[in-house]
Every structure is written in C-alpha cells, then in structure tokens.
Amino acid sequence: MKEITEGLFVLRDEEYRKFHAKLMPNIDPERIIGVRTPALRKYAKEIAKEPVVWDFLEELPHTYYEENNLHGALLSLCYKNLDDYLEKLERFLPYIDNWATCDMMSPKVFRKDLSKVYGKVQEWIQSSRTYTIRFAVVTLLQFFLDDAFLPEHLELVASVHSEEYYVKMAVAWYFSIALVKQYDTTIGYFTTPVLETWTHNKALQKATESLRIDKERKSYLKSLKIKG
C-alpha cells in the first residue's frame, strides 16, 4: 500500500542503503530503500493495528526489499494463532529473495507447537526455492537446538544438497551452532565426514570462532578440517 511504503521512505538512511546493498549483491540497489532493522521493527509495531495493514499483507509481490522485511515483521505481530500464521507464511515464502529477509523472521508463535512446525520444516527443506530451504534450516537452528533437539534434525540438514551459496552457508551455520549446543551428538558428522567439503570446513571455521567453545576443543575441531 502506498501510504505504508511512503512511511518506509521517511525512515530512509542513504549511507546505510549504500552499505546494505553491498551485502546483498543479488538484489537491485534500486529496490533497497535503506531502513535500519530496529527502525523497521518499530514502524511495524506502530502500524500493526491499522486497517490498511491487512491490504498490505495481501499485496504480493512487493517492490522494495524493506516491504518484504516489513511483511515478515507484520506477520508475527498480526497472527498469534499458529495455523493462521503458517497459512500466511506459506503464501509469503515464495517471494523471499534474499538472506536478510529470510533470517530476520523468528516467529515466537512457532513455540506454541514445535511438532507442527517441524512437520512444515520437513516440507520446506525439500523445496526447490533457495530461501524456503534456508528458512527451514534457520528455523531448525533457532528453535530446535535446545530442549526440542533430536539427532534426526542433524540427518535432515545433512541431507540438503545444493549449489546455492545461501543454502550451503545456512547448513554450515546450523552445524556450527550444533557443535556449540549439541557437541557430543554432532561431532561424529566431522570425524567421519558427511557434509560436502566446503560446508564441512565452513562449519568448523564458524564453530572455532565461537566464544562458547573452549581452546582445547577448538584445537581439535581445527584438526578435522579437510585439506585439499
């Protein structure tokens, strides 16, 4: 909706726009307004109860990157019922075209029924769309590496095979955090390599950069790097 988009332009930071455009080379810079995430989230909360928001959420695809980010933020604010949220999320996922929009969505409503969410994750991870797969992997990272963790989650993520950089990076990110939070179950994926070489090494690199892994363990993880 025009008035909602105009509100985003009011929040424009030109220097930030130039900087952020460099982080997303696959997005046309003309589609980036230049709104910092805290300002966008605040704006979402301000307009969430406005009637015009419902029309905005029905208007897909959006033109601007920040409109997609706003859409993702508004879904969490406007839909507190998990089934309703999932229905609207399914409609939105095909329009996500970058890592930042994908990763900023961490809906608290998922915690209402993680078993149902896991069922959706198993569907999303089989998608042919880059950012739907990434969203599935990031959802496992955000919601399923603590009390809800199961060893089969590692198997599911390890089964992802893609040449897409942002999918490979998500898998590496997931396994790096798994090494932090579920080390004993995860380490076998590196002592007997399962992941593709690039992903294996990137996961180890990110894990050894973590402040939550001690020096002795970091040294061991570094020794597991695949050379060549």
Side-chain angles (χ1 to χ4, degrees), residues 12 25-26 41 52 78 85-86 89 96 115 151 166 182:
R12 186 174 201 167
N26 63 311
R41 290 192 183 279
V52 71
C78 294
Y85 180 88
L86 287 171
L89 176 63
I96 297 176
S115 62
Y166 291 105
Q182 302 292 342

Side-chain angles (χ1 to χ4, degrees), residues 112-128:
K112 290 187 175 182
D113 190 342
L114 286 177
S115 62
K116 179 175 289 188
V117 173
Y118 182 51
K120 298 304 296 184
V121 164
Q122 291 172 294
E123 294 177 17
W124 296 331
I125 213 164
Q126 301 298 325
S127 174
S128 61

Side-chain angles (χ1 to χ4, degrees), residues 43-61:
Y43 180 55
K45 290 179 180 179
E46 290 172 354
I47 66 171
K49 295 183 179 180
E50 298 293 330
V52 71
V53 161
W54 302 105
D55 293 327
F56 174 79
L57 290 174
E58 292 301 315
E59 275 195 356
L60 287 168

